[in-house]
Amino acid sequence: MRRRSLGSMLAPALVWLSCTAAPGEAPEEAPEGKGVPVGLVEVTQREVVEPILGTGTIAAHKTTDVGPRVDGIIEEIFVRVGDRVEAGDPLFCTRDVDYRIRVDEALHALRLAKAEAEKAARDRERVEQLHARGVASSEQTEDTRTAETIAKARLGAARTALARARQELDDTVVRAPYAAAVTRRQIDEGVMMRTMLMGGSAVVQLMKLDIVAAIVTIPEIHLGRVGVGTPARVRIDGIDREFESEVLILNDRVDPAARSIELRIPIRNPDLEIKAGLFARAELLPPARTALVLDADAVRGVGGDRYVYVSEEGVAQRRAVEVRPLPDGSLEIERGLAAGQRVLVPRGETALAAGLRVAVQDGDVAL
């Protein structure tokens, strides 16, 4: 009984002596299978593209509230909301009776002025002939020349008045300035309209929709990452597909209240499928940049207290890192690790902790 008791007491001591390194010697690696099983994940350096998200509204390429060009009663409106018109198509007309009369009056005034100019020219020629024979005085000659000049000026004024009257008559019919859709009809026939009114003088509204623009806003912190030509993908409520385009306009004005900047992204719309006013979501794709990337499973902690485990001589050690999420679910390492470094990830049910001996499983290195 005494020998057995002594042997059992000496056994742990012998084991301890066999596992302890001699002074000045490096500690031995943990025997295979004795450390916590772990895998390794390598910090890689690669190009990443971080999309910038913005929201906004679809706007027409052009929007025009079309009103009359001359004063008068709106006699007929030729279009309805939803109609498609081409450039030059008639939209509505103002009653033209008065304008036809004005053309008539101008024609008669032109004929009168022409007759007076012809008479003045004949009088000048006759007096000049008499003056050459010494019958008419120089003063008479000068008077006839002046009268002819006045008659010619009146003739020119009469021609201008006729051209203006004809233009006003032509302006009683208002035509579409460009190919567009009729999106609003403000009044009906019979309303007296005046061109000098500052507001409320529109008869119909036109929108040019063959090209529309997604007017979106993004936070001002992204200003340095976007510019004219930045690729973009746009999704529009009510339309089950995505539109690819690029930034055409970057507004120089920053909204000081929302701390945002405005971008305009053109979208071709030949069949007028996209309507002005629809809600739009844009994904901007700035140029790729180089980043240090690590699998999210290898990073522990929450908030500002993030850390990883690295192996130092076969022992897990905790190391603080600063990270930010990337769109693909991985993390960008901003501080704490370098490219090529390897981080421990547990294998099995045993959790990692600082000071634990670890054993890397064969071939278990993820890049």
Side-chain angles (χ1 to χ4, degrees):
M1 290 292 293
R2 177 174 292 182
R3 290 180 182 174
R4 292 176 185 171
S5 176
L6 182 60
S8 62
M9 291 174 63
L10 292 175
L14 293 174
V15 172
W16 179 82
L17 287 173
S18 64
C19 295
T20 303
E25 294 181 5
E28 296 179 2
E29 294 294 331
E32 184 176 351
K34 296 300 183 180
V36 174
V38 295
L40 293 177
V41 177
E42 186 173 311
V43 178
T44 59
Q45 182 172 289
R46 59 184 173 88
E47 298 291 307
V48 297
V49 176
E50 290 184 89
I52 300 170
L53 303 181
T55 59
T57 303
I58 296 297
H61 181 201
K62 295 180 183 179
T63 300
T64 305
D65 291 324
V66 184
R69 296 183 176 180
V70 293
D71 295 345
I73 296 173
I74 302 302
E75 188 166 69
E76 187 175 0
I77 301 174
F78 307 118
V79 295
R80 298 176 298 178
V81 172
D83 285 352
R84 309 289 195 257
V85 295
E86 297 296 327
D89 286 353
L91 302 174
F92 59 88
C93 69
T94 303
R95 187 172 296 171
D96 64 1
V97 175
D98 290 341
Y99 296 98
R100 292 185 182 278
I101 292 173
R102 291 178 189 179
V103 170
D104 239 9
E105 291 174 343
L107 275 171
H108 290 299
L110 177 61
R111 290 173 187 149
L112 178 60
K114 187 175 181 180
E116 289 176 346
E118 290 172 351
K119 180 180 179 302
R122 289 195 299 270
D123 288 347
R124 176 190 55 77
E125 291 176 358
R126 180 174 58 81
V127 171
E128 284 179 347
Q129 290 174 1
L130 292 175
H131 178 68
R133 295 200 298 267
V135 177
S137 66
S138 297
E139 183 179 355
Q140 289 176 315
T141 303
E142 198 61 37
D143 286 346
T144 56
R145 289 173 180 170
T146 301
E148 183 184 21
T149 301
I150 293 172
K152 286 181 178 178
R154 288 174 176 166
L155 177 60
R159 284 173 177 156
T160 301
L162 177 60
R164 181 173 58 251
R166 283 174 170 166
Q167 183 62 57
E168 289 177 344
L169 177 60
D170 187 61
D171 285 345
T172 58
V173 178
V174 177
R175 302 178 183 277
Y178 47 77
V182 179
T183 54
R184 185 175 296 173
R185 179 167 157 168
Q186 309 280 27
I187 64 168
D188 290 321
E189 291 86 350
V191 177
M192 178 67 187
M193 302 290 287
R194 297 191 179 279
T195 59
M196 297 303 292
L197 293 178
M198 295 301 294
S201 60
V203 177
V204 297
Q205 183 186 77
L206 300 181
M207 284 188 178
K208 183 174 175 60
L209 296 169
D210 56 339
I211 296 178
V212 297
I215 303 177
V216 301
T217 57
I218 62 173
E220 64 182 5
I221 59 173
H222 298 306
L223 178 59
R225 299 176 55 205
V226 299
V228 174
T230 298
R233 293 193 290 257
V234 181
R235 296 198 67 87
I236 302 170
D237 280 7
I239 300 177
D240 190 24
R241 61 192 181 97
E242 193 173 71
F243 299 88
E244 294 192 0
S245 185
E246 62 182 31
V247 175
L248 179 66
I249 296 173
L250 174 63
N251 197 332
D252 293 314
R253 179 183 178 275
V254 175
D255 186 336
R259 311 313 313 175
S260 62
I261 54 177
E262 180 189 276
L263 309 171
R264 303 198 174 206
I265 304 168
I267 303 171
R268 295 192 179 278
N269 187 33
D271 55 359
L272 308 190
E273 175 189 15
I274 306 171
K275 312 302 181 186
L278 289 174
F279 184 75
R281 298 174 179 83
E283 184 181 47
L284 306 174
L285 305 173
R289 61 184 182 84
T290 302
L292 297 179
V293 180
L294 183 63
D295 192 318
D297 293 337
V299 180
R300 300 287 183 265
V302 294
D305 183 24
R306 306 302 296 273
Y307 58 92
V308 298
Y309 287 107
V310 297
S311 176
E312 295 182 3
E313 298 182 346
V315 177
Q317 299 295 341
R318 176 168 163 164
R319 180 174 297 179
V321 293
E322 292 182 10
V323 299
R324 61 191 300 269
L326 294 174
D328 63 358
S330 59
L331 296 176
E332 178 184 359
I333 302 298
E334 295 184 317
R335 185 175 298 176
L337 293 171
Q341 284 190 286
R342 294 179 176 182
V343 173
L344 302 177
V345 290
R347 294 289 185 260
E349 299 180 357
T350 305
L352 279 174
L356 286 179
R357 295 191 67 80
V358 294
V360 178
Q361 297 180 348
D362 292 340
D364 198 357
V365 179
L367 302 180

